[in-house]
mmCIF file of all heavy atoms in Angstrom:
data_model
loop_
_atom_site.group_PDB
_atom_site.id
_atom_site.type_symbol
_atom_site.label_atom_id
_atom_site.label_comp_id
_atom_site.label_asym_id
_atom_site.label_seq_id
_atom_site.Cartn_x
_atom_site.Cartn_y
_atom_site.Cartn_z
ATOM 1 N N MET A 279 24.658 -15.743 4.668
ATOM 2 C CA MET A 279 24.250 -15.861 6.076
ATOM 3 C C MET A 279 22.841 -16.450 6.154
ATOM 4 O O MET A 279 21.919 -15.952 5.520
ATOM 5 C CB MET A 279 24.281 -14.468 6.734
ATOM 6 C CG MET A 279 24.399 -14.544 8.244
ATOM 7 S SD MET A 279 24.689 -12.911 8.958
ATOM 8 C CE MET A 279 23.055 -12.480 9.502
ATOM 9 N N ALA A 280 22.708 -17.477 6.883
ATOM 10 C CA ALA A 280 21.394 -18.123 7.043
ATOM 11 C C ALA A 280 20.488 -17.254 7.897
ATOM 12 O O ALA A 280 20.921 -16.661 8.879
ATOM 13 C CB ALA A 280 21.569 -19.487 7.678
ATOM 14 N N GLU A 281 19.255 -17.211 7.484
ATOM 15 C CA GLU A 281 18.297 -16.416 8.234
ATOM 16 C C GLU A 281 17.682 -17.247 9.349
ATOM 17 O O GLU A 281 17.121 -18.312 9.097
ATOM 18 C CB GLU A 281 17.206 -15.900 7.311
ATOM 19 C CG GLU A 281 17.699 -14.798 6.398
ATOM 20 C CD GLU A 281 16.546 -14.220 5.582
ATOM 21 O OE1 GLU A 281 15.892 -13.304 6.074
ATOM 22 O OE2 GLU A 281 16.310 -14.705 4.479
ATOM 23 N N ALA A 282 17.791 -16.751 10.552
ATOM 24 C CA ALA A 282 17.212 -17.457 11.692
ATOM 25 C C ALA A 282 15.721 -17.167 11.779
ATOM 26 O O ALA A 282 15.258 -16.133 11.321
ATOM 27 C CB ALA A 282 17.902 -17.006 12.967
ATOM 28 N N MET A 283 15.015 -18.099 12.360
ATOM 29 C CA MET A 283 13.595 -17.875 12.585
ATOM 30 C C MET A 283 13.419 -16.842 13.694
ATOM 31 O O MET A 283 14.139 -16.835 14.683
ATOM 32 C CB MET A 283 12.906 -19.178 13.001
ATOM 33 C CG MET A 283 12.666 -20.135 11.859
ATOM 34 S SD MET A 283 11.485 -19.524 10.621
ATOM 35 C CE MET A 283 9.934 -19.924 11.426
ATOM 36 N N LYS A 284 12.471 -15.964 13.459
ATOM 37 C CA LYS A 284 12.167 -14.935 14.448
ATOM 38 C C LYS A 284 10.694 -15.007 14.790
ATOM 39 O O LYS A 284 9.891 -15.461 13.990
ATOM 40 C CB LYS A 284 12.477 -13.557 13.857
ATOM 41 C CG LYS A 284 13.954 -13.341 13.658
ATOM 42 C CD LYS A 284 14.200 -12.179 12.747
ATOM 43 C CE LYS A 284 15.700 -12.063 12.470
ATOM 44 N NZ LYS A 284 15.989 -11.099 11.431
ATOM 45 N N LYS A 285 10.373 -14.544 15.959
ATOM 46 C CA LYS A 285 8.950 -14.529 16.306
ATOM 47 C C LYS A 285 8.597 -13.286 17.103
ATOM 48 O O LYS A 285 9.446 -12.620 17.693
ATOM 49 C CB LYS A 285 8.548 -15.793 17.062
ATOM 50 C CG LYS A 285 9.053 -15.841 18.481
ATOM 51 C CD LYS A 285 8.342 -16.935 19.254
ATOM 52 C CE LYS A 285 8.825 -16.944 20.707
ATOM 53 N NZ LYS A 285 8.208 -18.018 21.486
ATOM 54 N N ILE A 286 7.327 -13.026 17.108
ATOM 55 C CA ILE A 286 6.818 -11.877 17.844
ATOM 56 C C ILE A 286 5.473 -12.270 18.431
ATOM 57 O O ILE A 286 4.702 -12.992 17.807
ATOM 58 C CB ILE A 286 6.728 -10.643 16.919
ATOM 59 C CG1 ILE A 286 6.491 -9.373 17.710
ATOM 60 C CG2 ILE A 286 5.697 -10.825 15.827
ATOM 61 C CD1 ILE A 286 6.834 -8.110 16.923
ATOM 62 N N GLU A 287 5.253 -11.847 19.643
ATOM 63 C CA GLU A 287 3.976 -12.118 20.289
ATOM 64 C C GLU A 287 3.330 -10.799 20.662
ATOM 65 O O GLU A 287 3.997 -9.895 21.161
ATOM 66 C CB GLU A 287 4.189 -12.977 21.535
ATOM 67 C CG GLU A 287 4.386 -14.427 21.176
ATOM 68 C CD GLU A 287 4.857 -15.276 22.338
ATOM 69 O OE1 GLU A 287 5.026 -14.754 23.454
ATOM 70 O OE2 GLU A 287 5.067 -16.477 22.104
ATOM 71 N N CYS A 288 2.042 -10.703 20.413
ATOM 72 C CA CYS A 288 1.321 -9.478 20.726
ATOM 73 C C CYS A 288 1.305 -9.281 22.244
ATOM 74 O O CYS A 288 0.970 -10.196 22.981
ATOM 75 C CB CYS A 288 -0.094 -9.580 20.183
ATOM 76 S SG CYS A 288 -1.008 -8.064 20.369
ATOM 77 N N PRO A 289 1.698 -8.095 22.706
ATOM 78 C CA PRO A 289 1.739 -7.867 24.161
ATOM 79 C C PRO A 289 0.355 -7.748 24.789
ATOM 80 O O PRO A 289 0.197 -7.899 25.983
ATOM 81 C CB PRO A 289 2.510 -6.551 24.299
ATOM 82 C CG PRO A 289 2.326 -5.870 22.991
ATOM 83 C CD PRO A 289 2.150 -6.942 21.955
ATOM 84 N N SER A 290 -0.634 -7.475 23.980
ATOM 85 C CA SER A 290 -1.989 -7.353 24.512
ATOM 86 C C SER A 290 -2.539 -8.737 24.836
ATOM 87 O O SER A 290 -2.014 -9.729 24.343
ATOM 88 C CB SER A 290 -2.876 -6.681 23.471
ATOM 89 O OG SER A 290 -2.373 -5.408 23.189
ATOM 90 N N PRO A 291 -3.543 -8.795 25.642
ATOM 91 C CA PRO A 291 -4.092 -10.122 25.972
ATOM 92 C C PRO A 291 -4.856 -10.751 24.806
ATOM 93 O O PRO A 291 -6.052 -10.942 24.845
ATOM 94 C CB PRO A 291 -5.004 -9.858 27.170
ATOM 95 C CG PRO A 291 -5.370 -8.427 27.065
ATOM 96 C CD PRO A 291 -4.233 -7.738 26.360
ATOM 97 N N CYS A 292 -4.148 -11.036 23.749
ATOM 98 C CA CYS A 292 -4.713 -11.802 22.647
ATOM 99 C C CYS A 292 -3.693 -12.858 22.262
ATOM 100 O O CYS A 292 -2.550 -12.801 22.684
ATOM 101 C CB CYS A 292 -5.065 -10.903 21.474
ATOM 102 S SG CYS A 292 -3.681 -10.290 20.540
ATOM 103 N N ASN A 293 -4.101 -13.815 21.491
ATOM 104 C CA ASN A 293 -3.217 -14.938 21.202
ATOM 105 C C ASN A 293 -2.465 -14.802 19.890
ATOM 106 O O ASN A 293 -2.039 -15.784 19.310
ATOM 107 C CB ASN A 293 -4.011 -16.243 21.198
ATOM 108 C CG ASN A 293 -4.506 -16.600 22.572
ATOM 109 O OD1 ASN A 293 -3.770 -16.470 23.548
ATOM 110 N ND2 ASN A 293 -5.747 -17.019 22.663
ATOM 111 N N PHE A 294 -2.304 -13.553 19.428
ATOM 112 C CA PHE A 294 -1.655 -13.348 18.145
ATOM 113 C C PHE A 294 -0.143 -13.507 18.255
ATOM 114 O O PHE A 294 0.495 -12.938 19.134
ATOM 115 C CB PHE A 294 -2.000 -11.952 17.616
ATOM 116 C CG PHE A 294 -1.350 -11.621 16.307
ATOM 117 C CD1 PHE A 294 -1.894 -12.073 15.110
ATOM 118 C CD2 PHE A 294 -0.202 -10.848 16.272
ATOM 119 C CE1 PHE A 294 -1.298 -11.761 13.904
ATOM 120 C CE2 PHE A 294 0.400 -10.530 15.054
ATOM 121 C CZ PHE A 294 -0.147 -10.990 13.873
ATOM 122 N N SER A 295 0.408 -14.297 17.356
ATOM 123 C CA SER A 295 1.860 -14.366 17.252
ATOM 124 C C SER A 295 2.238 -14.674 15.811
ATOM 125 O O SER A 295 1.474 -15.286 15.071
ATOM 126 C CB SER A 295 2.430 -15.413 18.204
ATOM 127 O OG SER A 295 2.104 -16.704 17.772
ATOM 128 N N VAL A 296 3.398 -14.227 15.408
ATOM 129 C CA VAL A 296 3.893 -14.466 14.059
ATOM 130 C C VAL A 296 5.280 -15.066 14.169
ATOM 131 O O VAL A 296 6.096 -14.637 14.973
ATOM 132 C CB VAL A 296 4.004 -13.149 13.244
ATOM 133 C CG1 VAL A 296 4.414 -13.444 11.815
ATOM 134 C CG2 VAL A 296 2.707 -12.379 13.252
ATOM 135 N N LYS A 297 5.533 -16.060 13.343
ATOM 136 C CA LYS A 297 6.862 -16.666 13.304
ATOM 137 C C LYS A 297 7.294 -16.703 11.851
ATOM 138 O O LYS A 297 6.569 -17.182 10.991
ATOM 139 C CB LYS A 297 6.780 -18.078 13.879
ATOM 140 C CG LYS A 297 8.108 -18.606 14.387
ATOM 141 C CD LYS A 297 8.008 -20.075 14.674
ATOM 142 C CE LYS A 297 7.920 -20.360 16.166
ATOM 143 N NZ LYS A 297 7.926 -21.832 16.417
ATOM 144 N N SER A 298 8.468 -16.163 11.566
ATOM 145 C CA SER A 298 8.972 -16.146 10.193
ATOM 146 C C SER A 298 10.473 -15.882 10.198
ATOM 147 O O SER A 298 11.020 -15.379 11.171
ATOM 148 C CB SER A 298 8.257 -15.051 9.397
ATOM 149 O OG SER A 298 8.779 -14.983 8.090
ATOM 150 N N HIS A 299 11.103 -16.226 9.090
ATOM 151 C CA HIS A 299 12.517 -15.862 8.961
ATOM 152 C C HIS A 299 12.628 -14.512 8.259
ATOM 153 O O HIS A 299 13.714 -13.962 8.140
ATOM 154 C CB HIS A 299 13.300 -16.940 8.202
ATOM 155 C CG HIS A 299 12.714 -17.265 6.860
ATOM 156 N ND1 HIS A 299 12.970 -16.522 5.749
ATOM 157 C CD2 HIS A 299 11.852 -18.247 6.491
ATOM 158 C CE1 HIS A 299 12.289 -17.045 4.734
ATOM 159 N NE2 HIS A 299 11.592 -18.082 5.154
ATOM 160 N N ASP A 300 11.486 -14.022 7.807
ATOM 161 C CA ASP A 300 11.453 -12.755 7.080
ATOM 162 C C ASP A 300 10.941 -11.633 7.986
ATOM 163 O O ASP A 300 9.767 -11.552 8.300
ATOM 164 C CB ASP A 300 10.544 -12.905 5.864
ATOM 165 C CG ASP A 300 10.567 -11.691 4.954
ATOM 166 O OD1 ASP A 300 11.113 -10.657 5.370
ATOM 167 O OD2 ASP A 300 10.044 -11.784 3.840
ATOM 168 N N GLU A 301 11.883 -10.795 8.396
ATOM 169 C CA GLU A 301 11.530 -9.721 9.335
ATOM 170 C C GLU A 301 10.507 -8.761 8.742
ATOM 171 O O GLU A 301 9.623 -8.263 9.443
ATOM 172 C CB GLU A 301 12.809 -8.966 9.721
ATOM 173 C CG GLU A 301 12.651 -8.128 10.982
ATOM 174 C CD GLU A 301 13.964 -7.482 11.419
ATOM 175 O OE1 GLU A 301 14.742 -8.168 12.101
ATOM 176 O OE2 GLU A 301 14.208 -6.327 11.065
ATOM 177 N N LYS A 302 10.622 -8.504 7.440
ATOM 178 C CA LYS A 302 9.679 -7.596 6.776
ATOM 179 C C LYS A 302 8.261 -8.140 6.815
ATOM 180 O O LYS A 302 7.297 -7.401 6.983
ATOM 181 C CB LYS A 302 10.108 -7.363 5.320
ATOM 182 C CG LYS A 302 11.177 -6.307 5.208
ATOM 183 C CD LYS A 302 11.555 -6.068 3.755
ATOM 184 C CE LYS A 302 12.752 -5.122 3.671
ATOM 185 N NZ LYS A 302 13.452 -5.257 2.392
ATOM 186 N N GLU A 303 8.152 -9.443 6.642
ATOM 187 C CA GLU A 303 6.854 -10.104 6.695
ATOM 188 C C GLU A 303 6.258 -9.970 8.102
ATOM 189 O O GLU A 303 5.073 -9.690 8.260
ATOM 190 C CB GLU A 303 7.040 -11.578 6.331
ATOM 191 C CG GLU A 303 5.733 -12.286 6.014
ATOM 192 C CD GLU A 303 5.946 -13.779 5.788
ATOM 193 O OE1 GLU A 303 7.037 -14.177 5.363
ATOM 194 O OE2 GLU A 303 4.998 -14.527 6.058
ATOM 195 N N ILE A 304 7.079 -10.180 9.092
ATOM 196 C CA ILE A 304 6.622 -10.050 10.485
ATOM 197 C C ILE A 304 6.121 -8.634 10.738
ATOM 198 O O ILE A 304 5.029 -8.438 11.271
ATOM 199 C CB ILE A 304 7.762 -10.417 11.480
ATOM 200 C CG1 ILE A 304 8.111 -11.913 11.379
ATOM 201 C CG2 ILE A 304 7.359 -10.041 12.911
ATOM 202 C CD1 ILE A 304 9.279 -12.346 12.259
ATOM 203 N N ILE A 305 6.899 -7.668 10.322
ATOM 204 C CA ILE A 305 6.536 -6.263 10.537
ATOM 205 C C ILE A 305 5.196 -5.935 9.882
ATOM 206 O O ILE A 305 4.325 -5.336 10.505
ATOM 207 C CB ILE A 305 7.667 -5.324 10.044
ATOM 208 C CG1 ILE A 305 8.889 -5.451 10.966
ATOM 209 C CG2 ILE A 305 7.191 -3.868 9.999
ATOM 210 C CD1 ILE A 305 10.173 -4.840 10.408
ATOM 211 N N GLU A 306 5.025 -6.398 8.642
ATOM 212 C CA GLU A 306 3.763 -6.145 7.934
ATOM 213 C C GLU A 306 2.570 -6.780 8.654
ATOM 214 O O GLU A 306 1.522 -6.156 8.820
ATOM 215 C CB GLU A 306 3.838 -6.695 6.502
ATOM 216 C CG GLU A 306 4.269 -5.676 5.471
ATOM 217 C CD GLU A 306 3.619 -4.309 5.671
ATOM 218 O OE1 GLU A 306 2.380 -4.234 5.596
ATOM 219 O OE2 GLU A 306 4.329 -3.322 5.917
ATOM 220 N N MET A 307 2.744 -8.026 9.078
ATOM 221 C CA MET A 307 1.643 -8.746 9.728
ATOM 222 C C MET A 307 1.286 -8.127 11.070
ATOM 223 O O MET A 307 0.115 -8.036 11.428
ATOM 224 C CB MET A 307 2.005 -10.218 9.882
ATOM 225 C CG MET A 307 1.928 -10.945 8.552
ATOM 226 S SD MET A 307 2.466 -12.655 8.665
ATOM 227 C CE MET A 307 0.974 -13.412 9.296
ATOM 228 N N VAL A 308 2.299 -7.702 11.797
ATOM 229 C CA VAL A 308 2.042 -7.087 13.102
ATOM 230 C C VAL A 308 1.356 -5.734 12.932
ATOM 231 O O VAL A 308 0.424 -5.406 13.663
ATOM 232 C CB VAL A 308 3.354 -6.948 13.915
ATOM 233 C CG1 VAL A 308 3.139 -6.121 15.177
ATOM 234 C CG2 VAL A 308 3.885 -8.325 14.288
ATOM 235 N N LYS A 309 1.799 -4.985 11.933
ATOM 236 C CA LYS A 309 1.171 -3.692 11.648
ATOM 237 C C LYS A 309 -0.312 -3.865 11.356
ATOM 238 O O LYS A 309 -1.151 -3.138 11.873
ATOM 239 C CB LYS A 309 1.843 -3.032 10.434
ATOM 240 C CG LYS A 309 3.002 -2.136 10.816
ATOM 241 C CD LYS A 309 3.498 -1.382 9.588
ATOM 242 C CE LYS A 309 4.644 -0.464 9.955
ATOM 243 N NZ LYS A 309 5.258 0.132 8.760
ATOM 244 N N GLN A 310 -0.623 -4.832 10.500
ATOM 245 C CA GLN A 310 -2.011 -5.086 10.134
ATOM 246 C C GLN A 310 -2.820 -5.564 11.337
ATOM 247 O O GLN A 310 -3.961 -5.153 11.534
ATOM 248 C CB GLN A 310 -2.076 -6.136 9.024
ATOM 249 C CG GLN A 310 -1.752 -5.552 7.667
ATOM 250 C CD GLN A 310 -1.707 -6.626 6.592
ATOM 251 O OE1 GLN A 310 -2.387 -7.639 6.684
ATOM 252 N NE2 GLN A 310 -0.896 -6.406 5.568
ATOM 253 N N HIS A 311 -2.229 -6.436 12.124
ATOM 254 C CA HIS A 311 -2.919 -6.952 13.304
ATOM 255 C C HIS A 311 -3.211 -5.830 14.302
ATOM 256 O O HIS A 311 -4.319 -5.728 14.819
ATOM 257 C CB HIS A 311 -2.089 -8.046 13.969
ATOM 258 C CG HIS A 311 -2.585 -8.419 15.335
ATOM 259 N ND1 HIS A 311 -3.691 -9.205 15.528
ATOM 260 C CD2 HIS A 311 -2.149 -8.052 16.569
ATOM 261 C CE1 HIS A 311 -3.903 -9.321 16.839
ATOM 262 N NE2 HIS A 311 -2.981 -8.631 17.491
ATOM 263 N N ALA A 312 -2.229 -4.998 14.552
ATOM 264 C CA ALA A 312 -2.391 -3.904 15.514
ATOM 265 C C ALA A 312 -3.505 -2.964 15.074
ATOM 266 O O ALA A 312 -4.310 -2.499 15.883
ATOM 267 C CB ALA A 312 -1.078 -3.149 15.673
ATOM 268 N N LYS A 313 -3.550 -2.708 13.780
ATOM 269 C CA LYS A 313 -4.553 -1.809 13.229
ATOM 270 C C LYS A 313 -5.955 -2.418 13.311
ATOM 271 O O LYS A 313 -6.890 -1.802 13.794
ATOM 272 C CB LYS A 313 -4.207 -1.509 11.764
ATOM 273 C CG LYS A 313 -4.609 -0.125 11.321
ATOM 274 C CD LYS A 313 -4.051 0.138 9.931
ATOM 275 C CE LYS A 313 -3.905 1.629 9.681
ATOM 276 N NZ LYS A 313 -3.317 1.879 8.355
ATOM 277 N N LYS A 314 -6.073 -3.652 12.848
ATOM 278 C CA LYS A 314 -7.366 -4.339 12.793
ATOM 279 C C LYS A 314 -7.889 -4.680 14.175
ATOM 280 O O LYS A 314 -9.049 -4.438 14.491
ATOM 281 C CB LYS A 314 -7.228 -5.656 12.006
ATOM 282 C CG LYS A 314 -7.438 -5.499 10.525
ATOM 283 C CD LYS A 314 -7.556 -6.899 9.901
ATOM 284 C CE LYS A 314 -7.311 -6.859 8.404
ATOM 285 N NZ LYS A 314 -7.139 -8.224 7.872
ATOM 286 N N SER A 315 -7.041 -5.286 14.992
ATOM 287 C CA SER A 315 -7.510 -5.826 16.262
ATOM 288 C C SER A 315 -7.450 -4.833 17.412
ATOM 289 O O SER A 315 -8.185 -4.964 18.379
ATOM 290 C CB SER A 315 -6.700 -7.067 16.643
ATOM 291 O OG SER A 315 -6.788 -8.014 15.606
ATOM 292 N N HIS A 316 -6.546 -3.876 17.321
ATOM 293 C CA HIS A 316 -6.366 -2.965 18.456
ATOM 294 C C HIS A 316 -6.537 -1.506 18.064
ATOM 295 O O HIS A 316 -6.346 -0.628 18.901
ATOM 296 C CB HIS A 316 -4.981 -3.175 19.076
ATOM 297 C CG HIS A 316 -4.723 -4.603 19.471
ATOM 298 N ND1 HIS A 316 -5.405 -5.244 20.474
ATOM 299 C CD2 HIS A 316 -3.865 -5.524 18.963
ATOM 300 C CE1 HIS A 316 -4.974 -6.494 20.571
ATOM 301 N NE2 HIS A 316 -4.036 -6.694 19.663
ATOM 302 N N ASN A 317 -6.851 -1.267 16.793
ATOM 303 C CA ASN A 317 -7.015 0.096 16.294
ATOM 304 C C ASN A 317 -5.820 0.952 16.710
ATOM 305 O O ASN A 317 -5.949 2.029 17.263
ATOM 306 C CB ASN A 317 -8.333 0.688 16.815
ATOM 307 C CG ASN A 317 -8.736 1.935 16.044
ATOM 308 O OD1 ASN A 317 -8.373 2.106 14.888
ATOM 309 N ND2 ASN A 317 -9.489 2.801 16.692
ATOM 310 N N MET A 318 -4.636 0.396 16.464
ATOM 311 C CA MET A 318 -3.399 0.962 16.968
ATOM 312 C C MET A 318 -2.370 1.074 15.840
ATOM 313 O O MET A 318 -2.224 0.165 15.041
ATOM 314 C CB MET A 318 -2.862 -0.006 18.031
ATOM 315 C CG MET A 318 -2.111 0.594 19.167
ATOM 316 S SD MET A 318 -1.771 -0.744 20.355
ATOM 317 C CE MET A 318 -0.194 -1.324 19.755
ATOM 318 N N GLU A 319 -1.682 2.194 15.804
ATOM 319 C CA GLU A 319 -0.572 2.345 14.851
ATOM 320 C C GLU A 319 0.712 2.012 15.594
ATOM 321 O O GLU A 319 1.012 2.576 16.635
ATOM 322 C CB GLU A 319 -0.505 3.792 14.330
ATOM 323 C CG GLU A 319 -1.675 4.193 13.451
ATOM 324 C CD GLU A 319 -1.604 3.607 12.040
ATOM 325 O OE1 GLU A 319 -0.552 3.059 11.658
ATOM 326 O OE2 GLU A 319 -2.625 3.700 11.333
ATOM 327 N N ILE A 320 1.477 1.112 15.033
ATOM 328 C CA ILE A 320 2.740 0.719 15.675
ATOM 329 C C ILE A 320 3.869 0.925 14.671
ATOM 330 O O ILE A 320 3.733 0.601 13.499
ATOM 331 C CB ILE A 320 2.644 -0.729 16.215
ATOM 332 C CG1 ILE A 320 3.872 -1.114 17.018
ATOM 333 C CG2 ILE A 320 2.371 -1.734 15.114
ATOM 334 C CD1 ILE A 320 3.646 -2.306 17.938
ATOM 335 N N SER A 321 4.950 1.493 15.132
ATOM 336 C CA SER A 321 6.051 1.804 14.221
ATOM 337 C C SER A 321 6.956 0.594 14.019
ATOM 338 O O SER A 321 7.000 -0.324 14.830
ATOM 339 C CB SER A 321 6.877 2.968 14.764
ATOM 340 O OG SER A 321 7.658 2.556 15.860
ATOM 341 N N GLU A 322 7.683 0.655 12.916
ATOM 342 C CA GLU A 322 8.615 -0.414 12.582
ATOM 343 C C GLU A 322 9.641 -0.601 13.700
ATOM 344 O O GLU A 322 10.020 -1.706 14.035
ATOM 345 C CB GLU A 322 9.332 -0.032 11.287
ATOM 346 C CG GLU A 322 9.590 -1.203 10.378
ATOM 347 C CD GLU A 322 9.927 -0.750 8.970
ATOM 348 O OE1 GLU A 322 9.006 -0.336 8.228
ATOM 349 O OE2 GLU A 322 11.108 -0.787 8.639
ATOM 350 N N LYS A 323 10.066 0.522 14.260
ATOM 351 C CA LYS A 323 11.063 0.506 15.328
ATOM 352 C C LYS A 323 10.539 -0.246 16.554
ATOM 353 O O LYS A 323 11.246 -1.054 17.159
ATOM 354 C CB LYS A 323 11.400 1.947 15.704
ATOM 355 C CG LYS A 323 12.736 2.123 16.381
ATOM 356 C CD LYS A 323 12.979 3.606 16.639
ATOM 357 C CE LYS A 323 14.049 3.799 17.697
ATOM 358 N NZ LYS A 323 14.168 5.216 18.084
ATOM 359 N N GLU A 324 9.283 0.018 16.892
ATOM 360 C CA GLU A 324 8.664 -0.652 18.036
ATOM 361 C C GLU A 324 8.527 -2.151 17.779
ATOM 362 O O GLU A 324 8.746 -2.966 18.681
ATOM 363 C CB GLU A 324 7.279 -0.055 18.309
ATOM 364 C CG GLU A 324 7.316 1.299 18.969
ATOM 365 C CD GLU A 324 5.922 1.900 19.085
ATOM 366 O OE1 GLU A 324 5.361 2.298 18.047
ATOM 367 O OE2 GLU A 324 5.403 1.953 20.199
ATOM 368 N N ILE A 325 8.145 -2.486 16.553
ATOM 369 C CA ILE A 325 7.986 -3.896 16.208
ATOM 370 C C ILE A 325 9.330 -4.612 16.285
ATOM 371 O O ILE A 325 9.436 -5.687 16.865
ATOM 372 C CB ILE A 325 7.352 -4.052 14.805
ATOM 373 C CG1 ILE A 325 5.920 -3.476 14.798
ATOM 374 C CG2 ILE A 325 7.327 -5.515 14.376
ATOM 375 C CD1 ILE A 325 5.324 -3.288 13.403
ATOM 376 N N LYS A 326 10.347 -3.982 15.725
ATOM 377 C CA LYS A 326 11.693 -4.587 15.732
ATOM 378 C C LYS A 326 12.177 -4.866 17.157
ATOM 379 O O LYS A 326 12.834 -5.857 17.405
ATOM 380 C CB LYS A 326 12.681 -3.690 14.996
ATOM 381 C CG LYS A 326 12.630 -3.896 13.495
ATOM 382 C CD LYS A 326 13.682 -3.067 12.800
ATOM 383 C CE LYS A 326 13.590 -3.243 11.289
ATOM 384 N NZ LYS A 326 14.511 -2.352 10.573
ATOM 385 N N ALA A 327 11.817 -3.971 18.066
ATOM 386 C CA ALA A 327 12.208 -4.142 19.466
ATOM 387 C C ALA A 327 11.503 -5.327 20.113
ATOM 388 O O ALA A 327 11.953 -5.847 21.125
ATOM 389 C CB ALA A 327 11.921 -2.861 20.245
ATOM 390 N N MET A 328 10.371 -5.739 19.525
ATOM 391 C CA MET A 328 9.585 -6.837 20.083
ATOM 392 C C MET A 328 9.952 -8.193 19.492
ATOM 393 O O MET A 328 9.543 -9.236 19.992
ATOM 394 C CB MET A 328 8.085 -6.584 19.796
ATOM 395 C CG MET A 328 7.473 -5.505 20.678
ATOM 396 S SD MET A 328 5.941 -4.869 19.932
ATOM 397 C CE MET A 328 4.935 -6.355 19.905
ATOM 398 N N ILE A 329 10.730 -8.191 18.408
ATOM 399 C CA ILE A 329 11.071 -9.449 17.740
ATOM 400 C C ILE A 329 12.110 -10.228 18.560
ATOM 401 O O ILE A 329 13.084 -9.668 19.048
ATOM 402 C CB ILE A 329 11.575 -9.181 16.291
ATOM 403 C CG1 ILE A 329 10.433 -8.617 15.436
ATOM 404 C CG2 ILE A 329 12.137 -10.463 15.680
ATOM 405 C CD1 ILE A 329 10.873 -8.179 14.048
ATOM 406 N N LYS A 330 11.825 -11.518 18.683
ATOM 407 C CA LYS A 330 12.733 -12.389 19.444
ATOM 408 C C LYS A 330 13.137 -13.579 18.579
ATOM 409 O O LYS A 330 12.418 -13.951 17.669
ATOM 410 C CB LYS A 330 12.007 -12.926 20.689
ATOM 411 C CG LYS A 330 11.753 -11.861 21.724
ATOM 412 C CD LYS A 330 10.839 -12.408 22.790
ATOM 413 C CE LYS A 330 10.437 -11.286 23.751
ATOM 414 N NZ LYS A 330 9.313 -11.682 24.593
ATOM 415 N N PRO A 331 14.264 -14.179 18.881
ATOM 416 C CA PRO A 331 14.608 -15.401 18.144
ATOM 417 C C PRO A 331 13.617 -16.512 18.492
ATOM 418 O O PRO A 331 13.222 -16.655 19.652
ATOM 419 C CB PRO A 331 16.020 -15.736 18.615
ATOM 420 C CG PRO A 331 16.255 -14.927 19.840
ATOM 421 C CD PRO A 331 15.279 -13.795 19.861
ATOM 422 N N ALA A 332 13.215 -17.258 17.488
ATOM 423 C CA ALA A 332 12.228 -18.329 17.716
ATOM 424 C C ALA A 332 12.923 -19.635 18.041
ATOM 425 O O ALA A 332 14.021 -19.894 17.574
ATOM 426 C CB ALA A 332 11.344 -18.485 16.501
HETATM 427 ZN ZN1 LIG B 131 -3.101 -8.410 19.517
#
């Protein structure tokens, strides 16, 4: 099965977005971004709910 490109955009008023075919990579990057930029812990479940097809 071919992996489709997925993307996620930070809901906060910042310009952060990640695009990848690797969902795990997206989750890791969003987790790090949320922590660094927003001092926020975000769960994998929440991140998955935010992922959209690119
Ligand atoms: Zn952000």
Side-chain angles (χ1 to χ4, degrees):
M279 202 171 100
E281 287 185 87
M283 284 294 279
K284 291 164 185 171
K285 73 166 182 182
I286 192 162
E287 281 169 1
C288 186
S290 300
C292 73
N293 292 317
F294 179 81
S295 70
V296 185
K297 202 191 256 184
S298 177
H299 55 83
D300 187 349
E301 198 175 276
K302 278 182 187 159
E303 194 185 332
I304 293 176
I305 290 166
E306 266 318 298
M307 286 176 82
V308 171
K309 269 187 179 172
Q310 282 175 29
H311 168 77
K313 212 172 204 178
K314 272 191 199 168
S315 303
H316 305 293
N317 195 26
M318 212 173 90
E319 292 284 349
I320 186 161
S321 73
E322 217 164 284
K323 202 177 161 187
E324 285 174 289
I325 296 167
K326 277 184 182 174
M328 285 161 62
I329 294 174
K330 290 170 187 166

